[in-house]
Amino acid sequence: MSHPSATPPTEPHVMPTYARVPIMLSHGRGCRVWDVDGREYLDALAGIAVNTLGHAHPRLVKALQEQVGRLIHVSNYYHHPWTEPLAAALCERSGLDNVFFCSSGLEANEAALKLARKFGHDKGIARPEIVVYERAFHGRSIATLSATGNPKVQAGFEPLVDGFIRVPINDLEALRRATAGNPNVVAVFFEAIQGEGGVHPLDADYIAGVRALCDAHDWLLMIDEVQCGMGRTGKWFAHQWANIRPDVMPLAKGLGSGVPVGAVVAGPRAARLFQPGNHGTTFGGNPLAMRAGLETIRIMEDEGLLANAATQGEHLLTQLWAELHGLPGVREVRGKGLMIGIELDRPCGDLVLRCARAGLLLSVTAERVIRLVPPLILSRAEADEIIAKLVPQVRAFLDETHA
Ligand SMILES: *Cc1c(COP(=O)(O)O)cnc(C)c1O
């Protein structure tokens, strides 16, 4: 098979932390990107659920250009006009109280873990413990890696941080058993839909059950919405399908539509835990990032992107199921809104390059789950194009390989 790019890119001066797809991307527009050789790709990955508004959205570009020419960064020593409006916008849409801003998902989760420990210490618990989940992914710092439920990404970085109790998803009884009589538990921490772990949604009933348990025991309910939040499932935040509110909610990925922005949103029980000096980060809350987040939210509302994510997601899920179910090798098609996983019975990382050659960008996570997290501006025609490009690749791959 020929290389998708005329000149395979090499980066001898870059640490080889990623086995990149051999494509050198040049520019994008909407849900499409082009490589330096002029080949066009439909982007069903969106920078891993980051490019909410697709590429080069004219309104976002205009706002960012204006901001770059005005102020990019001033540090947290001073006020600037964009922090409070974005914080207020997030509080309004989540029903929570206040926000700490940072620049990435792991940073948001790290802040959540610190909030939980502070919550415990303020109650006189010297060695607080936090419940986390099998197959969870919370980031690559030492603490968030320790909270992550994937031994593969932990290997080589021990000793891990302790103070975590691990349970399976969607099993309230297991959670009760794992915490029974333990006075050191301070929080329960999960993704409303596990992303990197293979697109596994937590049941609405389960989430509501954990909320009740947290209330009964005075634990913080902390929901990592870094990937599934910001409108991707058709509601602002995926936990809203369960009609509950968390106490702590980390956000990042889609929040700035490509500009690095992270945030931890806190409800009444966690909003006053951090006091001056307790936490901070240099880049957090800078004017460029705040402007990106605020403009992204405004555009999402003006363009009805929550409803669009729900509609196109439903269409994709139904059609993909119709095309793929019954094929030997296809286990499940699942997800919510524009966060969809197709689980096969075998490792299928090769599909990433096969699909790229067919003009479709996507990822494979947890070895055997094809993940679609396209921009929320995806049109019906583009959804159909994803199906038309993906299904023949899956069929051919299953024909040529064995479980
Ligand atoms: C991507 C992701 C993270 C980590 O975010 P980074 O910005 O890569 O640090 C944390 N939690 C979830 C659920 C994620 O999907």
Side-chain angles (χ1 to χ4, degrees), residues 23-109:
I23 294 174
M24 182 77 86
L25 293 175
S26 156
H27 60 284
R29 188 83 184 176
C31 292
R32 289 174 203 280
V33 290
W34 287 266
D35 68 19
V36 292
D37 300 316
R39 289 185 192 80
E40 182 180 310
Y41 304 87
L42 181 60
D43 188 359
L45 182 61
I48 320 182
V50 166
N51 300 305
T52 307
L53 306 174
H55 301 276
H57 190 289
R59 253 182 83 183
L60 183 65
V61 168
K62 190 158 173 279
L64 294 180
Q65 280 174 337
E66 200 270 336
Q67 191 58 47
V68 165
R70 191 179 276 265
L71 265 187
I72 295 175
H73 177 84
V74 294
S75 88
N76 284 297
Y77 284 11
Y78 309 100
H79 296 275
H80 67 73
W82 301 102
T83 313
E84 176 59 23
L86 178 56
L90 292 174
C91 290
E92 236 168 73
R93 284 157 187 79
S94 62
L96 301 179
D97 286 9
N98 63 12
V99 184
F100 172 83
F101 286 111
C102 52
S103 310
S104 69
L106 83 79
E107 251 191 298
N109 285 332

Side-chain angles (χ1 to χ4, degrees), residues 35-254:
D35 68 19
V36 292
D37 300 316
R39 289 185 192 80
E40 182 180 310
Y41 304 87
L42 181 60
D43 188 359
L45 182 61
I48 320 182
V50 166
N51 300 305
T52 307
L53 306 174
H55 301 276
H57 190 289
R59 253 182 83 183
L60 183 65
V61 168
K62 190 158 173 279
L64 294 180
Q65 280 174 337
E66 200 270 336
Q67 191 58 47
V68 165
R70 191 179 276 265
L71 265 187
I72 295 175
H73 177 84
V74 294
S75 88
N76 284 297
Y77 284 11
Y78 309 100
H79 296 275
H80 67 73
W82 301 102
T83 313
E84 176 59 23
L86 178 56
L90 292 174
C91 290
E92 236 168 73
R93 284 157 187 79
S94 62
L96 301 179
D97 286 9
N98 63 12
V99 184
F100 172 83
F101 286 111
C102 52
S103 310
S104 69
L106 83 79
E107 251 191 298
N109 285 332
E110 192 81 25
L113 296 173
K114 284 180 73 173
L115 280 170
R117 284 193 168 186
K118 183 77 165 44
F119 177 71
H121 282 272
D122 288 358
K123 289 202 291 185
I125 298 171
R127 299 191 60 82
E129 293 177 45
I130 298 167
V131 177
V132 293
Y133 285 75
E134 291 168 8
R135 290 192 300 223
F137 183 84
H138 297 297
R140 303 283 198 152
S141 68
I142 296 290
T144 59
L145 187 65
S146 306
T148 289
N150 179 350
K152 260 196 199 157
V153 305
Q154 295 170 331
F157 301 104
E158 301 86 351
L160 300 177
V161 171
D162 58 17
F164 293 109
I165 298 166
R166 197 167 302 281
V167 298
I169 64 167
N170 294 329
D171 185 344
L172 215 47
E173 213 24 66
L175 173 58
R176 283 204 191 91
R177 265 198 314 275
T179 55
N182 183 342
N184 294 326
V185 176
V186 291
V188 180
F189 186 31
F190 57 74
E191 303 153 79
I193 302 176
Q194 294 185 322
E196 303 306 300
V199 191
H200 296 284
L202 271 66
D203 302 335
D205 284 354
Y206 179 78
I207 294 176
V210 178
R211 174 71 275 178
L213 207 58
C214 286
D215 289 340
H217 292 277
D218 192 33
W219 301 334
L220 295 179
L221 174 56
M222 311 205 297
I223 305 186
D224 181 346
E225 294 257 3
V226 167
Q227 187 163 159
C228 58
M230 292 314 295
R232 180 151 294 282
T233 66
K235 289 195 187 281
W236 279 108
F237 308 108
H239 69 262
Q240 291 173 332
W241 291 102
N243 276 313
I244 54 98
R245 284 179 197 171
D247 299 300
V248 176
M249 175 175 68
L251 298 172
K253 291 202 165 92

